[in-house]
Amino acid sequence: MGLRARITRPGIAARLLAWYSDHHRDLPWRRTSDPYRVWISEVMLQQTRAQAVIPYYERFVAQFPTLESLAGAREEQALAAWSGLGYYSRARNLLKAARLAVAAGGFPSDYDAIRGLPGVGDYTAAAVSSIAFGLPCAAVDGNALRVVSRVKNDASDIGSMATRRRFAETVTGWLDQRRPGDFNQALMELGATICLPRQPLCDECPIRDGCLAATAGSAAGLPVKLRKEDPLHIRATLFVVRRRGRVLLIREDSGARRMAGFWRLPTTEDLPGATPRERLGEFRHSITRHRYLFEVYASSGGLPACPAPTSAAAGACAWFSPAELPTIPLATTARKALNLAGIPRSS
Ligand code: SF4
């Protein structure tokens, strides 16, 4: 006889909900059903772990406590509040979406209108719809896909749209229609804390009885994701140039594909005449398939003529004091390099 799930679909939902009510982490966005705050948290969580999101979320909603306050912000303020979280198109889209929602009379309350906001995909729309409005939408993120692949012991490639659609239908079948928000969060929580990518903690899992991969001993090898492209390894140099207690930064102009409006450290292309004085260290940084190894040098010479520090100097360079750094959108690479140079942002 082949392997069969030993608990029923309603059983999976009931067990997940009971486990979630006893074991869920106390995260700040779980203390509210305000759609604005749920939306901010879900966008932040799109590419970042929950523990890392907490301080950013708290700072962001303290600075922009309502949809209207965010809609009234300048882009540079929103980017500065987002600094360090990466994937900055998320912050730009938040701002655009807030302005559209305010113009339309407030945060939308149905799935299609939420899905229509800039930067909101199927997952985020379903998460906000279910958590903030109790709509019966299954939110399927990477955690949920992993749990489904294991419960079903299904080795299909989760990079394929057909597989994702099929797995999403499974989650829809499991969904508790009366408590969709809790159910979605329970499934994500299981993936984030128990059904871990490399070493699932099956002995602590509330749905182990129904999990075919746990029975077959194949859980650690699931889900399967076929590799499409090899990573590109790139070495680059960043210069930390100081003058009278200030540090030189370059602003990405508005035509830059990534990071437009952000301040970064100069490279050898920016300062071809620079003389590396002291090697401060190195760090690694990944953007999609690009794997950078940045070497950081204190430098002098080859300096461009820079205006007085002003974040309005588009496409320019400028000198900033450590106290000014928290007020500008600062590239993550600059933050890492300035830490190596002993120049942390001073708040
Ligand atoms: S039993 Fe193990 S593999 Fe199956 S869902 Fe639970 S943690 Fe994941």
Side-chain angles (χ1 to χ4, degrees), residues 147 150-151 190 194-196 200-202 205-208 211 213-214 219:
V147 174
R150 289 172 171 176
V151 169
L190 188 82
I194 300 288
C195 196
L196 300 170
L201 309 174
C202 299
C205 180
I207 56 172
R208 180 179 176 133
C211 179

